[in-house]
């Protein structure tokens, strides 16, 4: 019978299958099934040959995917039959480098339970060792110089393993078999503490450095701490003076900062946590999660002024675990940089850039090859169906550590494309086959340091994933650094590579479709792209857009009406200018706002009347800012969308115990057909806001009523477009949809109206996802050339 016949199978596995314990898993699986043969890593994945009884071979192939290691992410398994080769036993062969082939690379992974147990066990040889790891956790992407993933091609190359670590590394049955960062206190990286401004003068080394660092933090000092992908600036999150000093030094007066807390039980003392949020917190990615902040939390308000939410993460490296336990309280852990600069990466760079920000440095000698910020995620609630209650879906604010460079699986085959992304919250994207490698968060392209980080990261991705672009996609805006790079330098200035300009909001909608696996043959969608800025095809600033289209392009079906931005960029920094400018343009008069003098009002009126430095915008983000200023929330901002965020916080609190039907009605608005599209007129809306303010309505009440209005406006326009087009799928993208209240008020209404709603889940809805959309649109634009 076939079950007694002898055979051989050649198996090729693609995915994240290197550096995750896949070869020892194959070794054990083959032995368990009584098979002989071999397994090896190569530049494209893992190759396996096994021979034995047919039933055992079939079971082996099945279990290869069904029982794969927890960190493995298999995307393809190819199996071919072959004649028996007469193998004797099963072996793990040396890795093979193959020109032109590529593999998927694991992101860095938070400390696993086994390593944490060793770390905290006084009898273990790795007790309190801050670089403990195994094949199930630890650094990956941040230490890799090249593939295949072997120690000599990582920043662990200088560290020669001691006999004990080598035995673990060589034993296929040990969980540290071929764990490339494997190390211990005898042979591995070391940590030390030094005072700021005194490089090389070590205050403490080894375990004493960690204990001393904790003491300094408890005394109110600010520390620069070297982590996985760069430096954090840390201080005691329960010390208002320490947090204030950190804000003053960093130049970050109000933007919320994240905290790291030792355990889930301790997080519960500070925040309310849903099951979905708990799952994110303890996941192998261990991101910062935006949680509802408890009023009785000891974390001081200065950490996130005016916010109902606190960004919290658990320790994700052994160093963090030890430090948090020694400190015994939550620690602010914010990016090690001045505001808007990239995170500091190496020791010398950190001494140079952070020396005036930190009182001391906690350093180590394992180099970081790839710069890497923490990821930030929130859980947004939405109905899942009439019979299943509510479910929460993740929404990335920033996608970086723990997620990048794992690719987004495209719903189509792509050529080799480089998309250079937007100006703010930049990511770039390299695509090939059905993979889109969206980079880690690069940041705002506003300084030389960020541009250098952008260029270096593109070169790293091109090298690791073997992509020489055949197409380059870029934003329409000619002044963006990413656009200039695309036109002048990428790739290598070759004139024969097609450059394809992509409109910003069309990219948002294409990104949302690709994020949701929307197939090209599934047809067009109604796309709602709401954000703060993006150059439109008519030369004006867009951002309140209703688009109809697919990967081949969109047409602008509706938008918020154009209104002036008196002073251009100044109106973004000072939203009172927007409030006065909007009412001047629509009503011919402006209200008196507290703190705004007559001369300032006169200048704004004159700018609007004469059209002096008053670009026109349809951006929903600017409308949120204008209403926040009119309501008295904030007249000037120190970080992007601050006024709109604070309006959301107030409105959320006001509506916390109210059903939408119990609150005041939405403000009025008008839909007017103009030259084949719908223009949303805002005069009556803004006049009603001003009337509410004049009668003494609170900013919170005005904010809630405005959010309800925006949700009803969104649904009304989508219903109108559905009637015109027959489309029943709505894609929501753009930074405005990070607003939880807006989502909570609009998504259920859309679904009740019979729409399928696409929300981002793998890349941010903000500009961090734009590069993915640029890839999708460039692929189909090129296909039609």
């Amino acid at each position: 019978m076939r079950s007694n016949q002898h055979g051989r199978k050649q198996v090729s596995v693609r995915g994240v299958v290197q550096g995750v314990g896949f070869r020892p898993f194959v070794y054990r699986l083959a032995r368990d099934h009584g098979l002989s043969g071999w397994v090896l890593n190569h530049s494209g994945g893992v190759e396996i040959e096994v021979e034995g009884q047919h039933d055992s071979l079939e079971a082996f192939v099945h279990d290869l995917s069904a029982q794969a290691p927890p960190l493995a992410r298999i995307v393809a398994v190819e199996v071919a039959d072959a004649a028996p080769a007469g193998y004797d036993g099963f072996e793990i062969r040396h890795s093979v480098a193959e020109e032109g082939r590529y593999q998927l690379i694991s992101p860095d992974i938070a400390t696993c339970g086994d390593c944490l147990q060793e770390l905290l066990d006084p009898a273990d040889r790795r007790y309190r060792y801050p670089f403990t790891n195994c094949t199930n956790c630890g650094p990956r992407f941040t230490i890799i110089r090249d593939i295949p993933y072997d120690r000599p091609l990582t920043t662990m190359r200088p560290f020669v393993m001691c006999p004990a670590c080598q035995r673990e590394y060589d034993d296929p049955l040990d969980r540290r078999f071929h764990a490339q960062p494997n190390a211990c206190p005898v042979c591995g990286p070391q940590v030390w503490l030094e005072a700021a401004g005194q490089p090389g003068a070590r205050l403490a080394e080894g375990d004493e450095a960690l204990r001393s660092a904790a003491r300094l933090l408890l005394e109110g000092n600010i520390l620069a701490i070297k982590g996985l992908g760069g430096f954090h600036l840390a201080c005691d999150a329960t010390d208002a003076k320490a947090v204030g000093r950190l804000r003053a030094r960093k130049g970050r007066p109000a933007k919320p900062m994240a905290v790291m807390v030792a355990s889930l039980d301790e997080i519960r003392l500070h925040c309310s946590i849903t099951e979905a949020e708990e799952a994110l917190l303890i996941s192998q990615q261990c991101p910062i999660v935006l949680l509802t902040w408890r009023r009785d939390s000891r974390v001081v308000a200065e950490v996130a002024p005016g916010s109902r939410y606190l960004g919290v993460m658990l320790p994700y490296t052994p160093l963090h675990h030890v430090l948090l336990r020694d400190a015994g309280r939550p620690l602010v852990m914010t990016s090690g940089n001045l505001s808007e600069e990239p995170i500091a990466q190496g020791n010398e760079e950190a001494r140079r850039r952070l020396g005036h920000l930190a009182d001391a440095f906690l350093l180590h000698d394992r180099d970081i090859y790839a710069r890497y910020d923490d990821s930030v995620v929130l859980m947004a609630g939405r109905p899942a169906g009439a019979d299943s209650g509510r479910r929460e879906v993740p929404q990335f604010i920033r996608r970086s550590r723990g997620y990048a460079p794992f690719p987004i699986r495209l719903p189509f085959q792509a050529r080799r494309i480089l998309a250079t992304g937007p100006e703010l919250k930049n990511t770039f994207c390299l695509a090939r086959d059905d993979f889109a490698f969206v980079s880690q968060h690069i940041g705002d392209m506003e300084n030389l340091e960020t541009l250098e980080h952008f260029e270096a990261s593109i070169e790293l991705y091109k090298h690791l994933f073997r992509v020489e672009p055949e197409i380059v996609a870029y934003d329409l805006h000619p002044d963006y650094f990413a656009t200039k790079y695309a036109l002048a330098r990428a790739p290598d200035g070759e004139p024969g590579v097609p450059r394809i300009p992509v409109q910003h909001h069309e990219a948002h909608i294409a990104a949302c479709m690709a994020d949701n696996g929307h197939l090209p043959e599934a047809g067009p969608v109604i796309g709602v792209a709401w954000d703060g800025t993006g150059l439109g095809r008519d030369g004006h600033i867009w951002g309140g857009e209703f688009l109809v289209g697919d990967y081949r392009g969109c047409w602008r079906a509706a938008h918020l009406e154009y209104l002036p931005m008196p002073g251009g960029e100044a109106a973004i920094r000072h939203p009172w200018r927007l409030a006065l400018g909007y009412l001047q343009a629509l009503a011919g008069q402006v209200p008196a706002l507290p703190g705004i003098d007559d001369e300032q009002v006169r200048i704004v009126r004159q700018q609007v009347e004469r059209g002096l430095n008053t670009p026109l915008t349809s951006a929903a983000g600017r409308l949120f800012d204008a209403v926040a200023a009119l309501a008295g929330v904030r007249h000037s901002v120190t970080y992007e969308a601050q006024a709109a965020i604070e309006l959301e916080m107030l409105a959320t609190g006001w509506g916390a115990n109210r059903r939408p039907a119990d609150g005041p009605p939405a403000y009025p608005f008008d839909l007017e057909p103009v030259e084949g599209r719908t223009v949303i007129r805002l005069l009556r809306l803004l006049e009603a806001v001003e009337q509410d303010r004049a009668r003494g309505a609170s900013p919170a009440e005005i904010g809630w009523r405005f959010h309800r209005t925006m949700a009803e406006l969104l649904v009304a326009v989508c219903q109108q477009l559905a009637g015109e087009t027959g489309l029943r799928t709505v894609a929501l993208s753009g930074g405005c949809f990070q607003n939880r209240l807006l989502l909570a008020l609009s998504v259920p209404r859309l679904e009740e109206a019979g729409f399928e709603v696409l929300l981002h889940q793998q890349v941010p809805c903000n500009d961090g996802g734009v590069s993915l959309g640029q890839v999708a649109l460039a692929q189909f634009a090129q296909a039609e050339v």
Side-chain angles (χ1 to χ4, degrees):
M1 297 179 62
R2 181 177 174 82
S3 62
N4 295 322
Q5 293 176 355
H6 200 75
R8 176 165 62 111
K9 289 190 181 292
Q10 299 169 324
V11 184
S12 179
V13 186
R14 293 176 61 220
V16 177
V17 288
Q18 295 190 21
V20 294
F22 199 80
R23 287 179 298 171
F25 157 70
V26 171
Y27 177 90
R28 292 190 294 269
L29 191 64
R31 290 183 54 173
D32 290 346
H33 287 291
L35 303 174
S36 56
W38 51 264
V39 59
L40 63 78
N41 280 347
H42 58 68
S43 299
V46 170
E47 207 72 29
I48 306 166
E49 287 204 8
V50 282
E51 65 178 42
Q53 299 298 320
H54 276 286
D55 283 356
S56 297
L57 289 171
E58 295 296 333
F60 172 86
V61 171
H62 173 270
D63 292 346
L64 200 60
S65 297
Q67 300 178 17
L71 301 189
R73 300 176 74 168
I74 296 173
V75 300
V77 178
E78 297 176 0
V79 182
D81 291 314
Y87 293 124
D88 183 15
F90 195 90
E91 63 176 332
I92 298 174
R93 294 186 174 179
H94 291 294
S95 300
V96 175
E98 297 180 334
E99 187 70 26
R101 299 193 71 179
Y102 73 102
Q103 65 186 58
L104 306 187
I105 294 172
S106 171
D108 293 26
I109 299 299
T111 305
C112 71
D114 290 333
C115 284
L116 182 60
Q117 185 174 354
E118 293 173 347
L119 182 74
L120 303 179
D121 181 359
D124 194 276
R125 73 187 187 95
R126 291 187 173 89
Y127 176 57
R128 291 177 60 90
Y129 179 58
F131 305 99
T132 301
N133 67 87
C134 70
T135 54
N136 295 323
C137 68
R140 296 293 188 273
F141 176 62
T142 55
I143 64 170
I144 293 175
R145 297 178 183 272
D146 203 351
I147 55 173
Y149 175 56
D150 287 319
R151 194 178 181 107
L153 297 179
T154 74
T155 61
M156 286 297 295
R157 181 177 180 175
F159 301 98
V160 178
M161 284 181 281
C162 67
C165 285
Q166 191 69 52
R167 282 194 297 273
E168 295 169 332
Y169 185 89
D170 292 336
D171 182 358
L173 300 181
D174 193 287
R175 84 173 196 280
R176 291 191 169 93
F177 175 73
H178 279 222
Q180 305 307 334
N182 188 33
C184 75
V186 173
C187 63
Q190 300 297 316
V191 65
W192 69 91
L193 184 71
E194 66 180 50
Q198 301 178 39
R202 300 188 177 187
L203 302 175
E205 297 181 352
D207 189 58
E208 184 53 36
L210 297 170
R211 297 182 189 276
S212 297
R215 285 195 294 270
L216 288 175
L217 288 165
L218 295 180
E219 291 168 3
N221 291 285
I222 298 167
L223 265 62
I225 299 173
K226 188 177 183 181
L228 276 178
F231 280 75
H232 285 119
L233 289 169
C235 72
D236 181 353
T238 68
D239 184 340
K241 291 182 179 178
V243 175
R245 281 194 298 274
L246 176 55
R247 285 197 175 280
R249 294 181 188 181
K250 189 176 164 70
R252 188 172 176 170
K255 189 175 183 180
M257 297 189 290
V259 299
M260 183 177 281
V261 181
S263 68
L264 267 177
D265 286 340
E266 188 176 351
I267 291 177
R268 291 190 180 96
L269 298 176
H270 303 283
C271 299
S272 302
I273 313 174
T274 67
E275 288 185 10
E277 289 166 341
E278 178 177 328
L280 264 180
L281 286 164
I282 64 175
S283 68
Q284 63 191 36
Q285 292 83 12
C286 202
I288 296 168
V289 183
L290 297 185
L291 304 174
T292 301
W293 197 354
R294 289 176 52 138
R295 292 183 178 181
D296 59 351
S297 166
R298 291 178 57 222
V299 173
V300 295
E302 288 81 358
V303 170
S307 181
R308 297 176 58 84
Y309 305 114
L310 185 65
V312 183
M313 59 182 156
L314 288 168
Y316 55 85
T317 72
L319 185 152
H320 292 131
H321 277 288
V322 173
L323 185 64
L324 265 292
R325 280 165 171 77
D326 286 354
R329 63 189 62 176
L331 298 177
V332 169
M333 285 280 181
T334 190
S335 299
N337 55 10
L338 275 174
S339 289
E340 312 314 328
E341 290 184 359
I343 187 171
Q345 181 175 358
N347 292 350
E348 288 305 316
E349 178 191 353
R351 290 180 180 121
R352 184 180 71 253
R353 290 177 51 204
L354 307 181
H356 62 297
L357 305 181
D359 299 307
F361 287 81
L362 187 61
L363 302 174
H364 61 75
D365 55 358
R366 185 180 68 201
D367 287 343
I368 297 168
Y369 196 70
R371 207 183 303 255
Y372 215 47
D373 280 283
D374 292 314
S375 294
V376 184
V377 185
L378 62 83
M379 299 301 297
R382 59 175 289 185
D387 59 348
S388 56
R390 295 183 69 84
R391 69 182 173 94
E392 293 179 295
V393 294
Q395 295 265 320
F396 279 97
I397 305 298
R398 184 169 71 201
R399 181 182 182 269
S400 205
R401 176 186 54 77
Y403 297 94
F406 192 77
I408 308 301
R409 199 77 179 268
L410 293 170
F412 50 80
Q413 289 289 316
R415 296 181 64 184
R416 299 185 182 194
I417 301 171
L418 166 64
T420 58
E423 183 82 347
L424 302 179
K425 297 181 176 63
N426 178 270
T427 64
F428 61 85
C429 182
L430 280 166
R432 63 173 298 174
D433 307 321
D434 58 346
F435 295 127
F437 297 95
V438 179
S439 75
Q440 72 271 32
H441 172 78
I442 301 296
D444 295 349
M445 303 281 280
E446 296 179 339
N447 52 64
L448 178 61
E449 293 84 358
T450 306
L451 181 59
E452 290 173 345
H453 174 31
F454 170 79
E455 293 175 337
S457 298
I458 286 178
E459 292 306 312
L460 175 62
Y461 273 62
K462 284 168 58 179
H463 179 69
L464 290 178
F465 303 118
R466 309 306 196 243
V467 178
E468 277 302 325
E470 303 168 304
I471 303 167
V472 177
Y474 61 92
D475 192 275
L476 279 178
H477 201 299
D479 294 332
Y480 285 178
F481 277 125
T483 297
K484 293 177 179 179
Y485 174 90
L487 294 175
R489 302 182 60 181
D492 303 324
E494 296 176 11
V497 176
R499 269 74 162 176
I500 297 179
V502 177
Q503 200 281 321
H504 184 89
H505 300 95
E506 294 174 16
H508 266 303
I509 301 308
C512 188
M513 290 191 291
D515 192 340
N516 284 272
H518 188 81
L519 296 170
E521 57 268 27
V525 302
I526 298 170
V528 185
W530 283 4
D531 63 5
T533 191
L535 183 64
R537 294 190 175 276
D538 58 2
H540 296 312
I541 299 170
W542 290 7
E545 311 308 309
F546 293 81
L547 308 175
V548 173
D550 55 20
Y551 298 119
R552 292 170 178 82
C554 302
W555 60 276
R556 194 183 192 197
H559 62 87
L560 298 178
E561 69 176 306
Y562 284 126
L563 291 169
M565 295 174 58
E569 290 290 324
I572 298 174
R573 297 189 299 272
H574 305 288
W576 66 265
R577 287 176 164 268
L578 294 168
L580 299 188
Y582 282 15
L583 281 169
Q584 173 67 27
L586 293 174
Q589 57 185 3
V590 297
L593 294 180
I596 308 302
D597 61 39
D598 291 343
E599 178 62 14
Q600 291 173 304
V601 173
R602 185 190 66 79
I603 291 172
V604 167
R605 292 188 67 163
Q606 189 174 73
Q607 286 181 308
V608 173
E609 289 169 353
R610 299 182 181 180
L612 298 174
N613 190 21
T614 55
L616 296 179
T617 180
S618 65
R622 300 287 80 85
L623 181 58
F624 272 87
D625 290 344
V627 170
L630 269 180
V633 174
R634 175 168 292 277
H635 289 165
S636 296
V637 302
T638 61
Y639 65 89
E640 184 192 11
Q642 181 181 4
I645 290 169
E646 291 180 0
L647 183 70
E648 177 198 351
M649 296 301 108
L650 292 170
T652 300
W654 193 87
N657 298 314
R658 294 176 174 88
R659 296 179 305 170
D662 297 334
Y667 291 122
F669 57 87
D670 297 292
L671 306 181
E672 179 182 341
V674 178
E675 297 179 352
R677 65 171 65 102
T678 297
V679 175
I680 302 154
R681 299 298 184 190
L682 302 172
L683 172 60
R684 291 201 298 146
L685 187 160
L686 292 169
E687 285 183 331
V689 170
E690 172 55 19
Q691 289 165 7
D692 266 359
R693 183 182 73 91
R695 71 170 175 81
S698 69
E701 180 183 349
I702 293 172
W704 190 91
R705 194 175 176 191
F706 174 68
H707 279 78
R708 179 174 182 175
T709 303
M710 295 301 283
E712 293 198 7
L713 182 158
L714 189 157
V715 174
V717 176
C718 287
Q719 287 178 313
Q720 177 178 301
L721 295 178
E724 295 171 0
T725 65
L727 299 176
R728 305 303 302 177
T729 300
V730 174
L732 303 181
S733 191
C736 289
F737 292 109
Q738 292 172 170
N739 183 319
R740 297 196 210 196
L741 180 57
L742 179 63
L743 285 176
L745 291 172
S746 57
V747 172
R749 290 284 308 280
L750 286 168
E751 292 182 332
E752 288 166 6
F755 289 104
E756 177 190 6
V757 181
L758 305 182
L759 298 175
H760 285 273
Q761 299 184 55
Q762 300 181 81
V763 298
C765 66
N766 63 39
D767 283 5
V770 162
S771 62
L772 174 62
Q774 290 176 340
V775 158
L777 291 170
Q779 167 64 28
F780 285 88
Q782 181 64 19
E784 293 177 357
V785 171

